[in-house]
Amino acid sequence: TRPDAIALRLGARSMTFGELNNAARDLAHALHQRGVRRGDRVAVVVPNSMDFFVATHAVGRLGAIVVPVVFCFVACLDRMVGNVAAEET
């Protein structure tokens, strides 16, 4: 695959294979520095975006396991927890 070929397109944004590779490499390095190792489970909590693909590639580079979490569910859960906490006070 050519590094300058388009890997992702989302609306008006696009990312080449080279850009995806570089972003995933940088994120994988940061995750490794924070202790993520082969076989670890890593929750990926991002909205549907290019960041999701970068994160899943980064986790995969480390040999870790991607646990995708639906972003909308997290936002809804935060609201529900916030409502319960407000009712208790």
Side-chain angles (χ1 to χ4, degrees), residues 9-41:
R9 190 179 314 269
L10 184 63
R13 286 188 62 202
S14 62
M15 180 179 277
T16 66
F17 283 100
E19 291 168 332
L20 176 59
N21 182 54
N22 291 340
R25 181 196 61 224
D26 293 347
L27 180 56
H29 178 73
L31 291 170
H32 189 264
Q33 292 291 348
R34 287 167 178 77
V36 176
R37 299 293 186 262
R38 177 174 297 283
D40 288 349
R41 289 170 182 82

Side-chain angles (χ1 to χ4, degrees), residues 2-3 9 17 22 27 35 42-43 45-46 52 55 58 70 73 80 86:
R2 295 185 346 243
R9 190 179 314 269
F17 283 100
N22 291 340
L27 180 56
V42 178
V45 185
V46 294
F52 177 81
V70 177
F73 176 72
M80 291 186 319

Side-chain angles (χ1 to χ4, degrees), residues 79-89:
R79 281 196 306 271
M80 291 186 319
V81 169
N83 289 340
V84 169
E87 290 173 7
E88 291 177 352
T89 57

